[in-house]
Amino acid sequence: MMLDILIHGGYVITMEGAGTGVIPRGAVGIKGNEIAVVGTEKEVLKQYQAHRYLSAEGKAVMPGFVNVHMHTGDAIVRSCAQDIPGKIWRFKGILPLLGAAEEEDFIAASQLNIIEAIRSGITTFGNYYYPMEKMVENHIKLGTRAVVSGMINELPSDVSVVEVDELIPLNSAVGERKLSDNRKLVEQYHESFGGRITCRYGPHSAAMCSKEMLEEIRHQADQANVGIFIHLVQTREEITQTKLRTGLRPVALLDSLGYLNQKLLAAHMTYASMEEVKQVAQSGASLALCSTSISIVRGALAPAQEFLDYGGRVGLGTDQVCNGTNMFDEMKYASMVHKYKNHDATIMPSWKILRMATIEAADALGMAETIGSLKKGKKADLILVDLSEPHMNPLYEAPIRNLIPNLVYTARGHEAESVMIDGRFVMENRRILTAEEEEIIKRVNNGAERIAGKLRELPWAKELPLAKWTREGFY
């Protein structure tokens, strides 16, 4: 067989088997948008020829990262709502700021965030936002693999008036519009572009939708045979709101509505009881672990370790843009914070964390048959990681191999040198090939300047905690 591209001579990290499946001098052959062969360099070069040969000497070749949960549009207010109490973060922090942005700002910020993610080796995006029916075009243009959904809620237009200890007044007209947009997204884009774009439904949370809306979302998802994204027991306020509205906690409510099954990917579960963690894990639903985000905005940690212990599937996500969208950061922090929590250095070892960013993340999205590892017949989604940096050396082969710990604990993200998605390089030699970065950055900053101008005219914006601290010189 004549291959299109043959990458050879580096460490090939297949993520096949129970561990990481490292081939020290390996090769990966690409034909079209699929992996045609994976093996040792010697065997593959002997049996195959290619139109293009790429030496991976001094590099690691591995599956692209699978980010199961993120909100790319939030990049428009990056780091503008942190260091404040978790109870007020949503309604006195990020949502009022987002309310000052225009649709064009979210779309441009989404482009920026996708490029940022590509630069650290993320190839598959679980992107959950509004208006996704327009943001999906960013993934199409930039060449990424994406599982996309709207973010359906019935929140009032002015969230600055919301008090989380009182029942939030929902607006059914808002929910109907967002549900309609999500339905159009599914109808137009699900399994499009050769399967590179797939769709889900995305209720924001059990607290931000009426029971009737949640019921209708699940019905439409079942009709279309697509999955569901949801934030689940992310906050104590979510529990309060759901009980005030329905008399049930969020997990019990979703169970009564038929949500708990393999089609559900639940984010966080930060304040779930252990019985609820067990119930969701054993239902077949998956969990998105977003350690950096939930630590910054809540000072908390999702029960991922317990979810795994109950047999559940867990994938890593970067969530809304707090400190950046970088899977290397996410892996490192997730491992370290679990070790700290347990006072046990054996918890969440580097090989397990790398699996949770690749093959197990793919499994959490129901995509392990097509992505997440380097295997013949799977989609050609892979990255080349430069191992020549001082902090990535020395490299040991035997009796101890240190490649995987180096990637998880030492790498910083910029080592991702080239990124291939669906058999096509979208970044090569650290140059994005599918977008003009400078223009996008300029457009986002223009939007930020306009948003800042709006905020200066709004009386309530001056009372936001970070606005006060900025005036006082702390920011």
Side-chain angles (χ1 to χ4, degrees):
M1 178 192 296
M2 176 65 74
L3 303 172
D4 294 319
I5 301 173
L6 203 164
I7 305 169
H8 64 95
Y11 291 92
V12 173
I13 306 170
T14 67
M15 302 311 298
E16 283 289 300
T20 57
V22 178
I23 304 172
R25 286 197 67 89
V28 180
I30 314 298
K31 182 74 173 178
N33 69 344
E34 293 187 352
I35 296 170
V37 61
V38 180
T40 66
E41 180 184 40
K42 184 178 180 179
E43 292 172 345
V44 174
L45 287 177
K46 183 179 178 180
Q47 297 178 39
Y48 293 86
Q49 292 183 313
H51 294 294
R52 184 183 180 190
Y53 292 85
L54 286 179
S55 172
E57 188 80 33
K59 300 178 176 64
V61 185
M62 59 180 287
F65 293 121
V66 178
N67 190 339
V68 301
H69 181 80
M70 64 191 304
H71 310 294
T72 57
D74 277 352
I76 193 62
V77 292
R78 184 198 301 272
S79 298
C80 290
Q82 276 69 56
D83 301 334
I84 59 178
K87 183 175 181 178
I88 66 171
W89 171 80
R90 190 181 304 280
F91 292 106
K92 307 298 181 184
I94 192 169
L95 288 184
L97 299 177
L98 293 173
E102 303 292 339
E103 189 175 271
E104 64 188 272
D105 300 320
F106 297 129
I107 295 169
S110 175
Q111 284 185 311
L112 178 76
N113 197 204
I114 293 167
I115 290 171
E116 175 189 1
I118 291 170
R119 283 204 164 278
S120 69
I122 294 169
T123 56
T124 296
F125 296 67
N127 196 1
Y128 173 25
Y129 212 72
Y130 185 87
M132 187 53 68
E133 70 278 7
K134 296 184 179 178
M135 285 184 185
V136 68
E137 295 293 336
N138 293 336
H139 289 291
I140 293 166
K141 179 182 177 182
L142 292 167
T144 50
R145 190 174 305 282
V147 184
V148 296
S149 79
M151 192 152 63
I152 306 163
N153 60 50
E154 297 174 281
L155 292 176
S157 55
D158 183 5
V159 297
S160 68
V161 303
V162 169
E163 298 297 334
V164 294
D165 293 326
E166 301 172 4
L167 189 61
I168 298 172
L170 299 182
N171 185 331
S172 60
V174 171
E176 289 294 340
R177 184 180 73 249
K178 292 185 175 182
L179 174 60
S180 175
D181 288 343
N182 203 149
R183 181 172 60 250
K184 292 173 185 174
L185 175 77
V186 172
E187 290 171 351
Q188 183 172 353
Y189 290 104
H190 185 53
E191 295 185 339
S192 62
F193 294 87
R196 184 163 59 83
I197 306 297
T198 54
C199 301
R200 290 188 169 216
Y201 279 85
H204 200 145
S205 76
M208 298 184 192
C209 296
S210 65
K211 182 178 178 181
E212 294 74 21
M213 175 58 70
L214 289 169
E215 223 166 5
E216 182 59 24
I217 292 169
R218 197 229 70 216
H219 171 71
Q220 292 196 21
D222 285 349
Q223 289 290 102
N225 193 28
V226 299
I228 293 175
F229 288 141
I230 196 169
H231 299 98
L232 183 57
V233 207
Q234 180 182 3
T235 67
R236 293 188 181 96
E237 298 76 53
E238 180 187 331
I239 299 171
T240 299
Q241 288 292 319
T242 309
K243 289 180 73 174
L244 283 172
R245 196 173 303 281
T246 68
L248 297 173
R249 286 172 61 94
V251 171
L253 175 61
L254 293 188
D255 186 31
S256 73
L257 298 176
Y259 270 73
L260 301 188
N261 55 53
Q262 290 187 340
K263 292 183 178 180
L264 181 70
L265 191 145
H268 311 309
M269 295 197 69
T270 319
Y271 295 97
S273 69
M274 280 304 105
E275 189 56 39
E276 289 171 332
V277 173
K278 179 180 180 181
Q279 181 182 2
V280 176
Q282 295 184 348
S283 74
S286 301
L287 177 68
L289 171 61
C290 308
S291 301
T292 57
S293 170
I294 208 68
S295 292
I296 288 175
V297 303
R298 299 296 302 190
L301 182 65
Q305 179 188 338
E306 296 83 356
F307 200 91
L308 288 167
D309 289 343
Y310 287 124
R313 299 175 295 168
V314 177
L316 298 189
T318 59
D319 204 9
Q320 54 94 18
V321 184
C322 295
N323 62 326
T325 301
N326 184 327
M327 193 59 79
F328 286 95
D329 283 349
E330 199 66 41
M331 290 192 297
K332 182 189 306 182
Y333 184 73
S335 178
M336 289 182 174
V337 75
H338 279 90
K339 295 178 192 302
Y340 172 79
K341 172 189 172 185
N342 292 277
H343 298 279
D344 184 350
T346 69
I347 298 295
M348 296 287 187
S350 54
W351 63 266
K352 178 64 174 177
I353 287 289
L354 190 62
R355 289 183 62 84
M356 290 165 65
T358 53
I359 185 61
E360 293 182 17
D363 191 31
L365 286 173
M367 301 173 73
E369 293 301 311
T370 55
I371 62 169
S373 67
L374 303 183
K375 180 182 178 181
K376 181 180 179 180
K378 284 196 171 187
K379 298 300 182 184
D381 292 6
L382 56 84
I383 63 176
L384 275 69
V385 181
D386 182 7
L387 304 177
S388 69
E389 299 267 359
H391 57 276
M392 298 300 289
N393 289 275
L395 287 168
Y396 284 84
E397 274 295 323
I400 296 170
R401 180 181 290 130
N402 67 346
L403 173 62
I404 303 305
N406 274 356
L407 288 170
V408 172
Y409 300 132
T410 309
R412 301 166 189 171
H414 68 275
E415 301 86 356
E417 181 185 272
S418 297
V419 175
M420 174 184 283
I421 303 173
D422 216 36
R424 173 193 179 200
F425 280 111
V426 298
M427 182 174 81
E428 192 164 7
N429 296 319
R430 297 189 174 92
R431 186 172 71 88
I432 297 290
L433 304 178
T434 53
E436 295 295 331
E437 288 181 84
E438 290 184 6
E439 288 184 14
I440 293 168
I441 292 169
K442 182 179 179 180
R443 190 156 64 247
V444 171
N445 277 311
N446 287 341
E449 185 176 347
R450 188 175 62 255
I451 291 166
K454 280 188 182 180
L455 293 173
R456 281 191 287 268
E457 301 301 317
L458 296 169
W460 57 259
K462 296 178 177 62
E463 300 306 312
L464 293 174
L466 276 94
K468 287 183 177 181
W469 297 337
T470 298
R471 291 196 301 274
E472 293 166 0
F474 291 101
Y475 283 91

